[in-house]
Amino acid sequence: MTDQGAGARREPHVPESPQPGARMPGTLRVAVGLLLAETVVVAVIVAYLVYADLTVRDVVLQDALIVTGFAALIAVLLGVLARALIRRRAWARGPAVVLELMLLPIGWFMISAGVVWLGVPVFALGLLGAGLLVTPATREALGVR
């Protein structure tokens, strides 16, 4: 029996870093690939928004900058999270799951609006990405209990 009293502090669980040569599990590899693909797609959308902001005559500049800035922020965030997951940083898993789950209402709205051909893949992408990030193999690779 140990000498820890009721007021003794417990050391927080610090996950072990993966071995430098350790192979990334398939679920994490695919999840990172999806995040990187999403980064590219959102970056292309940002480029289009910048083009539209500069060429459209009737635009409320403040609104255009807010929409473009938000999209750019999401692109950067997706890229940062993908890089962190490649480096197996456990903290990146939660925000990445949230971003993937954000695709569900977007896909649902597209389906409801009649753009089924795009809404269904967006919805499925959100489910797949979030599902891959919560699998036991991914959690283990990131050192998450």
Side-chain angles (χ1 to χ4, degrees), residues 1 12 34 37-38 41 45-46 51 56 74-75 77 94-95 100 107 109:
M1 189 162 208
L34 288 176
E38 291 167 11
V41 169
I45 292 170
V46 168
Y51 171 78
V56 174
I74 295 297
L77 186 57
E100 293 299 321
F109 177 77

Side-chain angles (χ1 to χ4, degrees), residues 103-127:
L103 291 174
L104 300 181
I106 294 169
W108 182 256
F109 177 77
M110 289 176 165
I111 293 167
S112 300
V115 190
V116 177
W117 66 271
L118 187 56
V120 169
V122 168
F123 196 90
L125 181 65
L127 285 176

Side-chain angles (χ1 to χ4, degrees), residues 6-105:
R9 288 189 171 179
R10 291 181 131 192
E11 291 297 319
H13 171 70
V14 178
E16 294 179 21
S17 297
Q19 302 292 349
R23 188 168 165 90
M24 188 183 300
T27 55
L28 183 56
R29 196 172 327 112
V30 173
V32 167
L34 288 176
L35 284 171
L36 291 171
E38 291 167 11
T39 302
V40 170
V41 169
V42 176
V44 168
I45 292 170
V46 168
Y48 170 76
L49 288 172
V50 168
Y51 171 78
D53 293 347
L54 296 174
T55 59
V56 174
R57 292 177 188 239
D58 296 327
V59 66
V60 178
L61 185 59
Q62 182 179 359
D63 293 345
L65 292 176
I66 289 171
V67 170
T68 304
F70 181 75
L73 179 67
I74 295 297
V76 169
L77 186 57
L78 284 166
V80 167
L81 292 174
R83 181 180 168 124
L85 288 171
I86 288 170
R87 295 172 153 217
R88 297 194 189 183
R89 303 293 190 247
W91 62 264
R93 181 176 160 263
V97 169
V98 170
L99 284 178
E100 293 299 321
L101 291 176
M102 285 176 61
L103 291 174
L104 300 181

